[in-house]
Every structure is written in C-alpha cells, then in structure tokens.
Amino acid sequence: MKIILTHGYFLKEDEKEKQIMRPYVPLGILYIAAFLDRNGYLTQVFDSTFSDFDSFCRNLLKEQPDVIGIYTNLMTKINVLHMIRFIRSQAVLHRTRIILGGPEVRNHVSNFLHHGADVLVLGEGEETMLELVQVYEKEAMAPIHDILGIAYLENGQVRQNAERTKIRELDTLPFPGRHKVNLQLYLDAWKSRHGVSTISINTMRGCPYSCKWCSRAVYGQSYRRRSPSNVADEMEAIQNTYSVDSIWFVDDVFTISHKWLQQFAEEIRRRKIRLSFECITRADRMNEEVIQLLKESGCFRVWIGAESGSQKIIDKMDRRVEVGQVRDMIRSARAGGLQAGTFIMVGYPGETKEDIYETVKHLKLSDPDLFTITVAYPIKGTPLYAEVENQFLTRLDWESSTDRDIDFVRTYKRKVYDHAIDMINREISWFKEVNKPQKDRWKACKLKVKALLARGRMEWAILRS
C-alpha cells in the first residue's frame, strides 16, 4: 500500500509565525509514521511546513496514494478542507482514502465527513491507523465497523464507533520518525533567526487539569508518561544524530510529577547528556527543589502559566492556582538561574478594565523574562465554548472560518482587548527599560509616553463600548 501522511500547515501563509520563526516538526504524524513502519507499512510524509499547496497537489498526483492521513487542528482546518476538495476533484485519486485525525475533528464530525473525508480518527492515532490500513489492504471496500475510535458515513448517516482505550505504556511506541522530514530546514530556520537550533520532544500525553478554555479532544483529561529512561534514550539518539542546541518539551505540565523529574535528572546526569531545554509547567507544581532539578537537568527556561493577574478571572477559568503563587514561582525561577516565561490571556468572560490592570500589576511584580499574550476565544468542545455559545455575536460559515474567528458578548467590545494587548505590551516595555541597571532615560521617557497613549486608547474604546 502507498500511504502518505501530512498536516496542512504552510509556514509561508502564516505572517505572524514568519516573524517569530519557531517552527517544530509535526510530532503527531511522525509517531504514526514510525508506528506504521514498525508494523510493515512504509509511509511517506509530505511535510507541508516549508512547502506550499501546489507542491502538495503535484506530489499527490505523482504518488496517487491508497491512503492519505491528514493531521487537522484549528490552525490547519481550512487548508485541510482545500486538500480534501482537491483530492475529490481528481479522477486519478478517486480510490484514495482520506483519513483525518487531530484535535479539530472530534467536535466537527458531521461537517468533515460530509465535506469528503472517509474516516475520522478520534483520539490517539497509532493503533487506529494501523487497523484501518490493514483493512484497506485486504479489500478496498472492507467494513470498518469493528475498528474502535473512528467516525464515518454509512448510507449517508454518521456512524461513530466506541472509543478506543488509550495507550497505557507509552514506552512501547517507537520514537517519532524524524528522518521522514527534512529536519535541517527546521534547524536552519531556528539557527538563522535565534542563533540556536531546537528539536521538540513529547514525554507525556494528556493533562489532568481543568482549565475551561483548553481542548482535550485527543488525549482527554488524562496523564500518561514515558519513563525517564525512555525519554533519555530519545535525547541521546537526537544528540548522536543531529547537530542541535536545545530541546523543547511540548508537554502541558513538565514538572507534574516530582518523582519523575528526580529520576529524569538522574538519567541526564548519569548519561552525561548535554542538551539544554525549555518546558511548560504550573506554579503549583514548582518549588525550590524543582527549580534546582530543572537547572541540573539542563533547563534554561521554564514557562509558568498565569493567563491573568486577576484572581477573579483565574477562578473563572478554573485554573485552580493562586496568582500570588504564580508570581512567587516566576521570581524564584529567575533567582534560581532560569529564564522565566509566562502566558497571558485577555478578553475572558467577565473581565473588566480593573482585571486588565491587575494583569499589568502582576507582570510588573513577577517580572518574567518573556510573556505571550492573546485574546481569549472559545474552542468547540471546551467548557468555555459551552458557556458562551448562546452569546455568539456572529454565525460564521464553517468551511471558511475557525473557532479563532468567533466573537461573543464580553464585558466590552472585541476592539477593547486589542487595545488592551497594545497597552500591556507597551507598559511592560517601559517597566523593563526603567528598571535596567543602566537605563536609557530618553528611551524610557518615550516608552512611557507610548504606554500612556495606549492606555488612553483603551480607556476611550471602553467608553465607546
């Protein structure tokens, strides 16, 4: 059988990411590729990141695969729909089976199937994809009724089979097939923009926490982890194979288990692995000992989720963390020799200008090295989506929009939060400059004026809201 896996993300189309330039390989389909290869089904990966849609089309017409598996998330949904339309429009591809997986498909089952997908994989993809290609290999129209974790059309009606049990022993999975993509393109992109190259690794699946805005469409509210030795094996393989400077652990909460972290640190020390890394965590899973273990293991930056400086908003999000604890851990991480980053969200239901100013205060008190900021949007299937669904301001065409485009009734009009982001960024830029040991007074003065103007624009937008 000829099997192609792809993901539909085109870096050339993403102006913001072109500026940031922090591309990562599509780990999900590389895991599936490695799993299928191990079971005797050699796969091709069309890595769209540094390619374009026309090249994708030419590749399909040349290869004419029996099966194409496409990872689908919120960012790639519209491109994936274009891919499906192209495949369905080509006579030479009429036998190609289109299988979609990823977080976007679970909550839009009927739409994707009626748009032309043959099968949707709901949840983890390795075992399900293997069973699907085994069936399709035997007979093009063989029944798939007994395959767990899929949805498909039967006589025009959506049929959704029972859920598949999650893979418990993640160590049994092969390492992702990074050799199937041109990894050097990623390393060079990082090196040229940031001076260092990086590779991503996943050590866990799922997240046991309950943040209302977070999607759990693939792994659910679970926590499963590879052993520290298995992760160290992968790091050693990367270190021995590629010329790379650092690792990005993509886990939602890297320090969730202190016992695991202790064993991981011991593995790194025993094997003399010398790869620096950054990771994400929560303040309530941090302490002085954890900070020391991270540093000993090679961590140079830790991202500690905050989302807001207002305890009221954090509680509305069901974050289950104290804002004071977040501040303390950001400061402690920096004092312990790590860089600290954090995430901020504005425009959450119920947020007022007082809450926004609390976030400014929070960023000044915690003083992270880096922070990212975005306007809250509801992802279908999350508690936040259910909470605001009857307050949507527009009804968007599903085929040409994503959940990012959804606006809903907030405390103020959407434009206010764009001004809030500008104000927060400018206020913190001024704060950083004025607190430098050798500050540029003239630059600080200009930054303060810009911050005041940004604050004025936000306040004016609030008055007109």
Side-chain angles (χ1 to χ4, degrees):
M1 290 192 72
K2 187 171 287 186
I3 304 165
I4 291 179
L5 302 177
T6 190
H7 55 95
Y9 175 72
F10 300 102
L11 179 60
K12 294 177 181 178
E13 300 175 355
D14 193 330
E15 292 301 323
K16 183 174 289 187
E17 183 55 34
K18 281 195 293 186
Q19 295 174 6
I20 298 171
M21 196 52 70
R22 294 173 178 267
Y24 294 103
V25 297
L27 281 179
I29 62 173
L30 297 187
Y31 265 109
I32 293 172
F35 190 80
L36 292 178
D37 283 4
R38 189 172 71 180
N39 284 276
Y41 294 91
L42 298 182
T43 60
Q44 299 177 35
V45 172
F46 182 87
D47 184 13
S48 56
T49 300
F50 295 97
S51 189
D52 54 58
F53 186 77
D54 288 342
S55 298
F56 164 78
C57 295
R58 287 194 298 270
N59 179 263
L60 275 194
L61 292 174
K62 174 187 174 185
E63 299 296 336
Q64 298 180 27
D66 300 290
V67 171
I68 181 168
I70 312 176
Y71 174 81
T72 311
N73 64 17
L74 189 148
M75 290 177 60
T76 64
K77 167 196 160 183
I78 293 176
N79 281 340
V80 170
L81 295 180
H82 290 329
M83 290 172 163
I84 295 173
R85 281 196 289 269
F86 172 77
I87 295 168
R88 293 300 181 220
S89 71
Q90 302 300 310
V92 296
L93 300 176
H94 75 281
R95 294 179 61 84
T96 298
R97 294 285 182 170
I98 303 173
I99 303 174
L100 306 185
E104 189 71 0
V105 300
R106 179 179 290 277
N107 296 297
H108 301 278
V109 168
S110 181
N111 284 331
F112 279 114
L113 291 174
H114 283 103
H115 196 82
D118 289 295
V119 178
L120 306 183
V121 174
L122 309 178
E124 290 174 310
E126 289 88 358
E127 294 175 342
T128 308
M129 278 294 292
L130 175 60
E131 291 182 19
L132 282 168
V133 297
Q134 286 173 336
V135 166
Y136 290 144
E137 181 185 37
K138 293 175 183 176
E139 186 180 344
M141 301 298 293
I144 53 176
H145 303 113
D146 297 330
I147 298 178
L148 300 176
I150 63 171
Y152 51 96
L153 292 180
E154 186 175 65
N155 299 321
Q157 300 297 311
V158 174
R159 175 163 177 162
Q160 189 164 323
N161 292 355
E163 290 286 324
R164 180 177 294 277
T165 301
K166 297 179 180 66
I167 299 170
R168 298 307 308 172
E169 298 297 330
L170 298 183
D171 283 9
T172 63
L173 293 174
F175 298 152
R178 294 184 178 88
H179 62 284
K180 290 183 176 286
V181 302
N182 186 348
L183 193 61
Q184 196 60 46
L185 292 175
Y186 292 87
L187 302 181
D188 290 347
W190 272 83
K191 198 81 168 182
S192 62
R193 181 63 61 88
H194 307 288
V196 294
S197 57
T198 192
I199 286 179
S200 54
I201 294 180
N202 190 321
T203 80
M204 60 181 277
R205 291 187 175 184
C207 177
Y209 293 96
S210 54
C211 306
K212 289 184 177 181
W213 40 263
C214 190
S215 174
R216 302 172 186 86
V218 176
Y219 300 134
Q221 195 166 1
S222 64
Y223 169 67
R224 292 161 294 141
R225 196 127 199 207
R226 298 164 56 192
S227 68
S229 62
N230 185 255
V231 175
D233 287 344
E234 185 175 3
M235 292 177 72
E236 276 190 327
I238 287 172
Q239 185 173 257
N240 295 333
T241 307
Y242 304 105
S243 177
V244 63
D245 302 312
S246 65
I247 297 294
W248 167 240
F249 285 113
V250 300
D251 312 317
D252 291 331
V253 190
F254 187 74
T255 66
I256 190 169
S257 169
H258 295 175
K259 179 181 178 181
W260 185 95
L261 184 62
Q262 176 69 57
Q263 294 171 348
F264 174 73
E266 290 172 0
E267 288 286 341
I268 297 299
R269 183 169 50 250
R270 181 176 64 82
R271 302 185 191 209
K272 297 181 172 60
I273 295 174
R274 292 178 175 81
L275 282 172
S276 62
F277 68 87
E278 60 182 311
C279 61
I280 303 172
T281 189
R282 290 170 53 99
D284 56 347
R285 300 309 303 155
M286 292 280 288
N287 57 38
E288 299 295 337
E289 181 183 2
V290 166
I291 291 169
Q292 185 59 35
L293 285 172
L294 286 172
K295 189 170 176 58
E296 290 175 1
S297 304
C299 182
F300 70 93
R301 182 185 296 141
V302 61
W303 291 84
I304 303 171
E307 312 309 337
S308 175
S310 166
Q311 190 64 51
K312 180 190 84 176
I313 299 302
I314 288 176
D315 291 343
K316 282 181 175 290
M317 294 174 174
D318 201 16
R319 285 280 293 154
R320 304 185 188 185
V321 69
E322 298 294 324
V323 66
Q325 189 177 19
V326 176
R327 293 171 188 166
D328 289 344
M329 287 301 103
I330 290 174
R331 289 192 295 249
S332 294
R334 297 191 71 196
L338 302 178
Q339 291 183 32
T342 194
F343 308 110
I344 297 296
M345 185 184 297
V346 298
Y348 200 82
E351 185 179 55
T352 64
K353 72 174 184 179
E354 289 76 21
D355 299 312
I356 294 170
Y357 287 133
E358 280 295 307
T359 294
V360 175
K361 175 184 174 183
H362 163 71
L363 288 170
K364 290 179 178 178
L365 289 173
S366 57
D367 195 19
D369 296 280
L370 301 163
F371 70 94
T372 67
I373 186 166
T374 188
V375 177
Y377 56 87
I379 300 173
K380 191 167 184 181
T382 64
L384 173 59
Y385 189 100
E387 186 178 313
V388 302
E389 187 172 8
N390 63 353
Q391 301 171 44
F392 287 176
L393 295 174
T394 53
R395 296 295 168 181
L396 303 170
D397 175 53
W398 180 80
E399 293 185 10
S400 59
S401 66
T402 73
D403 292 347
R404 284 187 170 185
D405 302 315
I406 296 172
D407 196 14
F408 56 91
V409 176
R410 311 176 198 249
T411 308
Y412 313 117
K413 291 181 180 177
R414 172 66 170 74
K415 191 66 176 176
V416 169
Y417 302 103
D418 293 329
H419 287 302
I421 288 176
D422 184 48
M423 182 273 293
I424 292 170
N425 280 323
R426 293 185 183 279
E427 190 72 25
I428 300 308
S429 292
W430 165 79
F431 175 81
K432 292 281 190 184
E433 180 62 35
V434 82
N435 284 282
K436 286 181 178 178
Q438 295 181 322
K439 56 181 170 288
D440 182 331
R441 293 184 181 277
W442 176 239
K443 182 179 180 181
C445 182
K446 288 192 292 185
L447 288 173
K448 184 59 177 178
V449 170
K450 290 179 179 179
L452 289 171
L453 289 172
R455 181 177 293 220
R457 286 191 292 269
M458 186 189 79
E459 291 281 358
W460 178 243
I462 289 172
L463 288 174
R464 298 182 64 188
S465 184

